[in-house]
Amino acid sequence: MQKVFSKVAMIGVAMVLAAPVQAELVLSQAWLRAVPPVSPTMAGYVTVTNTGPDAVAVTGAHTAIAGHVMLHDMSMQEDGTRRMRHLGKVEIPAGASVSFAPGGMHLMLMHLSRVPAAGESVQVCLEQADGEPVCGDFPVSGSAPSEP
Amino acid sequence: MRKLPYILPLLLVLLLAGCDKPESDLPINTRLGGEFTLTDQNGQPFTQSDLKGQVSILFFGYTHCPDICPAVLARVAQVYRSLEEAGLADQVQPVFITFDPERDTAKHLKEYLPWFKAGMVGLTGSLQDIRQVAEKYGVVFIKGKEEENYLFTHSDYIYLLDDQARVRKLYPADFNIEEVAGDAESLL
């Protein structure tokens, strides 16, 4: 009986060790920039921390208020102009944080069904290459939330 | 010679009368700016002459821009409100010039800009006219190749103009609000 028990226990431990550890994304400092009600687009900002042991690729985002959300990067060119470009994915190394912030990477919400007002909060979900989307509440504000 | 004691105070009064409005230290930029004719948010012609008689905070952008442009609009509105609190807002005019006339019609600007509560004038026009005024202010804008939801690569300076519509100072998009408000006040 003891032998059977130890075999089962060993198999159990082996299964736990063999199971892939789910990468975990934690969202913080999330917000949407408040814009006029007739605005065709909105920008979203968030800090994404990968608490898992493996790198994670964020491949997109979605929210109920936008028909389409794109990952964008804004970069300063040598001639002083700013260029926006679409990102297919954003890699977040294990244990690292990546910030989507004004003047840099951001979520571009397009085809808005409505423009939420300042003070509202909207759920936005980030999509991963592997794994379930990670969702968070994005308060609508004229400026970034203050640091915790 | 006996008249001297009377003349000296008179000269002093005249000198002080000329000193009640100190000249701003901001140099006049002679390379940027100039004549233009565009259309304001009410569909009326708007020329460089309409900028005269007040200090202007002028900048370029487009309303489909999700990141930088609404941030700049909000910051300019903060400058305006700062001057409003000082009782100076009626002497300052924020002016937004779109480089996306296809989507930023006068009607759209009229609906979009009042939300910022800064008495902004919105200017649009033909692409050719906008390109001309952009060149006069050294503004570069390049339309993206996407057919739908196109974006622009663009420069994003903010221009402070005096009451003669002369450029007196440029600021980056993340300008300091107190600095611009202070500079604008120095030109009044």
Side-chain angles (χ1 to χ4, degrees):
Chain A
M1 184 67 183
Q2 261 190 340
K3 277 186 180 175
V4 173
F5 180 77
S6 20
K7 272 186 183 172
V8 169
M10 282 176 72
I11 291 168
V13 169
M15 282 175 71
V16 168
L17 290 174
V21 179
Q22 186 67 43
E24 205 167 311
L25 296 183
V26 177
L27 309 185
S28 59
Q29 296 289 298
W31 62 292
L32 297 177
R33 181 180 297 288
V35 289
V38 294
S39 186
T41 61
M42 283 185 97
Y45 309 103
V46 63
T47 298
V48 189
T49 303
N50 178 3
T51 60
D54 301 312
V56 173
V58 173
T59 53
H62 63 265
T63 172
I65 63 160
H68 191 39
V69 181
M70 292 175 89
L71 308 178
H72 274 180
D73 190 21
M74 178 81 87
S75 55
M76 184 72 87
Q77 310 296 294
E78 281 183 8
D79 62 1
T81 59
R82 286 182 201 261
R83 178 169 173 258
M84 196 118 76
R85 67 191 175 98
H86 171 228
L87 301 173
K89 63 177 179 179
V90 175
E91 291 275 356
I92 307 174
S97 291
V98 168
S99 287
F100 291 76
M105 284 197 297
H106 56 273
L107 309 176
M108 180 171 172
L109 282 57
M110 295 179 287
H111 305 307
L112 299 172
S113 56
R114 69 181 185 89
V115 176
E120 280 190 55
S121 199
V122 175
Q123 189 184 66
V124 180
C125 300
L126 299 188
E127 296 156 3
Q128 306 179 60
D130 302 305
E132 293 295 309
V134 178
C135 302
D137 288 330
F138 284 55
V140 181
S141 173
S143 58
S146 50
E147 295 290 337
Chain B
M1 193 62 185
R2 279 184 185 172
K3 287 180 181 172
L4 195 59
Y6 300 100
I7 292 169
L8 278 176
L10 185 64
L11 281 173
L12 196 62
V13 167
L14 287 171
L15 279 171
L16 287 174
C19 290
D20 62 350
K21 189 185 170 190
E23 284 291 313
S24 171
D25 291 333
L26 301 176
I28 296 166
N29 187 320
T30 54
R31 289 179 301 167
L32 297 175
E35 291 289 340
F36 66 82
T37 301
L38 292 172
T39 302
D40 70 15
Q41 72 271 32
N42 297 311
Q44 298 301 311
F46 191 101
T47 69
Q48 187 207 26
S49 301
D50 292 310
L51 296 174
K52 294 180 179 173
Q54 67 214 326
V55 167
S56 303
I57 302 168
L58 185 145
F59 54 108
F60 294 73
Y62 66 114
T63 68
H64 280 64
C65 161
D67 185 37
I68 291 291
C69 308
V72 169
L73 281 157
R75 293 176 77 76
V76 169
Q78 281 181 272
V79 172
Y80 183 84
R81 279 193 284 278
S82 168
L83 292 164
E84 197 170 39
E85 284 169 15
L88 302 169
D90 59 342
Q91 299 174 65
V92 178
Q93 180 61 67
V95 180
F96 173 81
I97 301 179
T98 182
F99 40 63
D100 185 15
E102 196 177 319
R103 297 181 296 194
D104 289 343
T105 60
K107 180 176 178 291
H108 181 64
L109 293 178
K110 191 170 185 175
E111 292 170 344
Y112 184 88
L113 293 174
W115 183 84
F116 293 95
K117 295 183 175 66
M120 281 184 203
V121 166
L123 299 181
T124 185
S126 70
L127 187 58
Q128 187 183 358
D129 287 345
I130 290 171
R131 199 169 288 287
Q132 280 178 359
V133 65
E135 280 173 11
K136 289 182 176 181
Y137 282 88
V139 171
V140 175
F141 64 93
I142 302 160
K143 186 180 173 183
K145 289 176 182 165
E146 303 87 355
E147 291 210 352
E148 198 194 355
N149 301 318
Y150 57 85
L151 300 166
F152 285 86
T153 295
H154 60 96
S155 45
D156 50 19
Y157 281 103
I158 287 85
Y159 304 81
L160 181 66
L161 276 58
D162 65 17
D163 61 3
Q164 297 302 305
R166 299 173 301 192
V167 175
R168 300 296 289 265
K169 194 168 177 181
L170 272 67
Y171 309 87
D174 58 348
F175 59 84
N176 180 289
I177 290 159
E178 286 78 24
E179 180 188 351
V180 178
D183 289 341
E185 197 171 341
S186 80
L187 292 173
L188 296 174

